[in-house]
């Protein structure tokens, strides 16, 4: 018999699904989005673990599969706001020196907007597409990077093919930036949307990296067309 707290005898507390009522002025689509957010296990996990959004678990799962983060590495996170990817990178490259006896890495986040400080990471307002952005980043790092990561997405237009082309163009720009700042054998990870225009991007990356793979992490929603390109073994 269930008590008033929602517990069922012998079964512990139930994980109740949150229902959101359609409020005046809120569209049905926004209500559904809010309901999905409130019931998303990755959102709940991010809140309980102090991560800046569910996207943090995407890069964590990508690295769990490909194992590119290592203690002592220098990482550049393009379009880093709100900072979840930086948080994961800080832990994995030992940027806070929490792993005794292991080399201490660096994490540099760049974005067009100010980012709330992240323990173990440096964040700067930089347009990575500016002509001198690569030199500015190398100056800040004191050398080249081992890894360039990007979870950037262009503002949605509501038109699937247009959005696909925009994010492919953004990913290509991030790739060219990576070519300028990566060390030999460096790694590039970026978000793309499936849609048919990835061929040129894949061809470009295969010319510059020894191995190029595509991966959709479990944290990426099933109804999303996003996936991540993981390019390793940069030919400087």
């Amino acid at each position: 018999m269930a008590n008033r707290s929602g517990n069922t005898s012998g079964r512990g507390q139930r994980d109740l699904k949150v229902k959101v009522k359609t409020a005046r002025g809120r569209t049905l689509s926004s209500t559904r989005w809010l309901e999905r957010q409130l019931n998303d296990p990755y959102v709940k996990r991010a809140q309980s673990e102090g991560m800046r959004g569910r996207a943090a678990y995407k890069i964590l799962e990508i690295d769990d599969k490909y194992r590119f983060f290592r203690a002592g590495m220098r990482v550049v996170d393009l379009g880093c706001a709100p900072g979840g990817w930086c948080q994961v990178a800080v832990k994995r490259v030992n940027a806070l020196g929490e792993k005794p006896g292991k080399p201490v890495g660096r994490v540099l986040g760049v974005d067009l907007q100010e980012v709330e400080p992240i323990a173990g990471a440096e964040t700067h307002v930089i347009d990575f597409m500016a002509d001198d952005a690569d030199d500015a980043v190398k100056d800040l790092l004191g050398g080249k990077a081992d890894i360039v990561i990007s979870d950037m997405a262009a503002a949605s237009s509501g038109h699937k093919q247009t959005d696909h082309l925009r994010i492919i163009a953004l990913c290509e720009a991030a790739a060219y930036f990576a070519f300028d700042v990566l060390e030999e054998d460096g790694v590039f990870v970026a978000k793309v949307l499936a849609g048919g225009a990835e061929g040129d991007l894949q061809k470009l990356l295969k010319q510059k990296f020894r191995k190029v793979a595509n991966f959709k992490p479990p944290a990426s929603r099933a109804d999303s067309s996003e996936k991540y390109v993981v390019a390793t073994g940069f030919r400087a």
Side-chain angles (χ1 to χ4, degrees):
M1 178 178 176
N3 62 27
R4 294 188 181 184
S5 67
N7 285 357
T8 303
S9 178
R11 297 182 184 177
Q13 188 170 350
R14 292 179 296 171
D15 187 11
L16 300 177
K17 183 176 181 181
V18 179
K19 291 288 186 180
V20 178
K21 293 182 180 180
T22 303
R24 181 179 297 176
R26 182 189 294 145
T27 64
L28 180 59
S29 62
S30 67
T31 300
R32 287 174 175 169
W33 178 89
L34 180 57
E35 185 171 299
R36 183 174 66 175
Q37 283 292 103
L38 291 172
N39 291 288
D40 189 316
Y42 283 100
V43 172
K44 294 178 180 178
R45 183 180 171 188
Q47 291 170 343
S48 67
E49 296 181 356
M51 304 303 289
R52 297 188 183 182
R54 68 189 310 284
Y57 300 103
K58 298 176 186 179
I59 190 63
L60 188 149
E61 290 168 349
I62 296 168
D63 184 54
D64 282 348
K65 181 175 177 65
Y66 294 100
R67 302 288 182 183
F68 42 82
F69 285 138
R70 291 190 296 277
M73 285 189 158
R74 290 177 290 189
V75 181
V76 177
D77 183 1
L78 300 178
C80 66
W85 278 35
C86 281
Q87 288 179 298
V88 173
V90 163
K91 290 282 188 183
R92 301 238 161 161
V93 304
N94 195 33
L96 284 170
E98 295 174 326
K99 300 174 183 176
K102 297 284 188 179
V104 177
R106 295 273 305 279
V107 177
L108 179 68
V110 303
D111 204 286
L112 292 175
Q113 59 182 302
E114 292 279 354
V115 179
E116 185 179 344
I118 303 164
E122 307 160 46
T123 59
H124 297 269
V125 176
I126 295 175
D127 180 357
F128 83 94
M129 291 188 183
D131 290 341
D132 59 348
D134 55 332
D135 289 330
V137 165
K138 285 183 285 188
D139 286 344
L140 288 166
L141 282 177
K144 291 191 173 183
D146 299 295
I147 303 172
V148 173
I149 57 178
S150 167
D151 194 34
M152 293 184 294
S156 175
S157 68
H159 185 267
K160 187 174 181 180
Q161 187 60 19
T162 299
D163 291 342
H164 169 66
L165 294 173
R166 284 180 176 177
I167 198 169
I168 291 297
L170 191 61
C171 189
E172 286 182 351
Y176 279 109
F177 176 85
F179 300 161
D180 289 333
V181 303
L182 278 177
E183 289 276 16
E184 181 79 17
D185 288 326
V187 175
F188 174 66
V189 180
K191 175 163 66 183
V192 296
L193 297 181
E198 306 100 310
D200 289 342
L201 173 63
Q202 295 283 329
K203 183 178 179 180
L204 172 67
L205 293 175
K206 286 177 180 178
Q207 292 172 351
K208 293 288 188 176
F209 294 86
R210 294 181 179 85
K211 187 174 181 180
V212 179
N214 294 285
F215 179 58
K216 185 176 178 69
S220 180
R221 291 192 172 104
D223 60 354
S224 170
S225 62
E226 72 177 13
K227 60 183 179 179
Y228 291 83
V229 60
V230 183
T232 56
F234 179 60
R235 301 183 179 100

